Amino acid sequence: MLERIHAHCVKNGPKILGLPVALTPFPVKKLMLQQLLNWQFRHALAEGELDFLNGRLLGIGIADLNLQWITTLQDGRLAVLQQSEADVWFRSNANDLLLVAARKADPDMLFFQRRLVIEGDTELGLEVKNVMDAIEPEAMPTALRTAIEQMAAFVDAGMKQDAKATQARAGAAC
């Protein structure tokens, strides 16, 4: 019973969060996202590793949260904008992006499974991916890394339970 509840929460958790995200005004989301992004990427910013984003627009879309934003580099900091045009878009669902952030899922694998969509300037998309791959988890702020790892473990376990249940149902149908 608990396994079913866990799998249900993993599958439907982002949908539940979608309403509060949708009701939150963009200026509040912008402030939160900018603080989080600049905190997460503070070392990369200090080292100039994100300078290629200066004047370029990176779009992030999280479909199951109905959340999207544009990130760019302005005055040495990551800025969040609300607009629909970006040089490159990264689109996925919340659980897959969480697993990528925790290094429990390979972005290339998700791309080929069409669970991660990259649209637009592929060269810019590759630069972004390379920077993300180069960031060591230990460089993340400890509280953020711990939260991501714990949430990813929950999601990963729920996805495995859901896969086992699907296999069991398929086996029983034969």
Side-chain angles (χ1 to χ4, degrees), residues 67-123:
L67 177 63
Q68 73 175 29
W69 71 91
I70 307 289
T71 300
T72 190
L73 188 68
Q74 292 179 344
D75 301 321
R77 295 186 48 81
L78 291 170
V80 172
L81 311 171
Q82 183 182 26
Q83 59 190 68
S84 58
E85 297 296 319
D87 296 310
V88 66
W89 277 98
F90 282 73
R91 300 181 199 276
S92 191
N93 68 46
N95 287 341
D96 285 337
L97 290 175
L98 179 62
L99 293 173
V100 167
R103 305 217 177 192
K104 290 189 174 279
D106 177 30
D108 292 328
M109 178 194 69
L110 295 177
F111 176 79
F112 288 116
Q113 291 176 346
R114 298 187 178 161
R115 291 167 49 193
L116 171 63
V117 177
I118 303 171
E119 301 171 321
D121 184 338
T122 53
E123 185 177 324

Side-chain angles (χ1 to χ4, degrees), residues 150-165:
Q150 289 176 349
M151 288 187 298
F154 180 80
V155 166
D156 192 38
M159 291 174 87
K160 287 177 182 169
Q161 287 174 354
D162 193 40
K164 284 181 189 176

